């Protein structure tokens, strides 16, 4: 079955790629999870939009990765979260929350799959996270979780 990937799938391809997979894998895994859509000529127009969005988040080269690393490590990322009376969060701080805080603090748009949290963040305080910018460049973030 011929599909267009809407999200990066490990071992298969990146968003916007046209892939051919077995019917069962497409019907039971990729399509229900929203990771792909059926290929069509109209879908080719969607590929262009997906590739433009991916290019905006793409890290061009090693120099660009080092430039982003300097921006990220030079700032402390503050994330606001709802807190109960005991100091525990309602839920936890996720990679999506962290990417939104990075964009608002530094103006850098990063793919959420590049962010690796060291632990589940369920309490207020300071934490660290790693951002894989390039195969040789890893930025260490300082995260400060505060009450909203």
């Amino acid at each position: 079955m011929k599909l267009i990937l809407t999200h990066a799938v490990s071992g298969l391809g990146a968003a916007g790629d046209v892939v051919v997979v077995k019917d069962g894998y497409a019907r039971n895994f990729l399509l229900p999870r929203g990771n792909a859509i059926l290929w069509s000529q109209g879908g080719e127009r969607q590929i262009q939009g997906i590739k433009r969005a991916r290019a905006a988040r793409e890290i061009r080269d090693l120099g660009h990765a080092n430039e982003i690393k300097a921006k990220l490590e030079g700032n402390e990322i503050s994330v606001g979260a709802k807190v109960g009376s005991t100091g525990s969060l309602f839920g936890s701080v996720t990679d999506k929350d962290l990417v939104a805080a990075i964009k608002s603090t530094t103006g850098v748009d990063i793919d959420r799959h590049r962010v690796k949290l060291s632990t589940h963040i369920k309490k207020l305080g300071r934490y660290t996270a790693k951002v894989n910018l390039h195969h040789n460049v890893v930025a260490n973030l300082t995260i400060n979780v505060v009450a909203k």
Side-chain angles (χ1 to χ4, degrees):
M1 186 177 288
K2 197 169 183 181
L3 301 173
I4 300 169
L5 295 178
T6 56
H7 300 286
V9 178
S10 178
L12 190 58
D17 290 348
V18 176
V19 295
V20 177
V21 296
K22 293 190 177 192
D23 292 349
Y25 183 52
R27 275 194 312 268
N28 298 324
F29 184 76
L30 295 173
L31 293 173
R33 292 177 188 233
N35 290 334
I37 58 173
L38 291 171
W39 180 88
S40 66
Q41 288 186 353
E44 289 289 333
R45 288 187 293 259
Q46 288 181 321
I47 291 174
Q48 300 308 319
I50 291 170
K51 286 187 178 183
R52 276 194 304 271
R54 184 173 67 183
R57 289 189 308 264
E58 192 86 11
I59 295 171
R60 294 183 295 271
D61 57 7
L62 186 61
H64 187 232
N66 284 325
E67 179 183 316
I68 292 173
K69 178 182 176 180
K71 281 184 184 177
L72 294 178
E73 289 182 344
N75 292 315
E76 180 176 271
I77 307 301
S78 182
V79 179
K82 286 180 146 183
V83 181
S85 61
T86 61
S88 296
L89 302 180
F90 293 124
S92 63
V93 175
T94 63
D95 52 357
K96 288 182 184 179
D97 300 329
L98 192 54
V99 166
I102 290 169
K103 183 162 176 99
S104 67
T105 303
T106 64
V108 176
D109 192 13
I110 294 176
D111 185 22
R112 70 180 182 90
H113 298 291
R114 293 182 180 271
V115 177
K116 302 296 179 208
L117 296 170
S118 56
T119 61
H120 289 292
I121 301 175
K122 295 189 177 246
K123 292 192 178 270
L124 298 176
R126 293 188 186 278
Y127 296 91
T128 60
K130 294 187 182 294
V131 180
N132 297 320
L133 299 170
H134 197 268
H135 65 277
N136 291 332
V137 180
V138 177
N140 295 311
L141 289 178
T142 303
I143 305 161
N144 187 18
V145 180
V146 296
K148 272 200 222 185

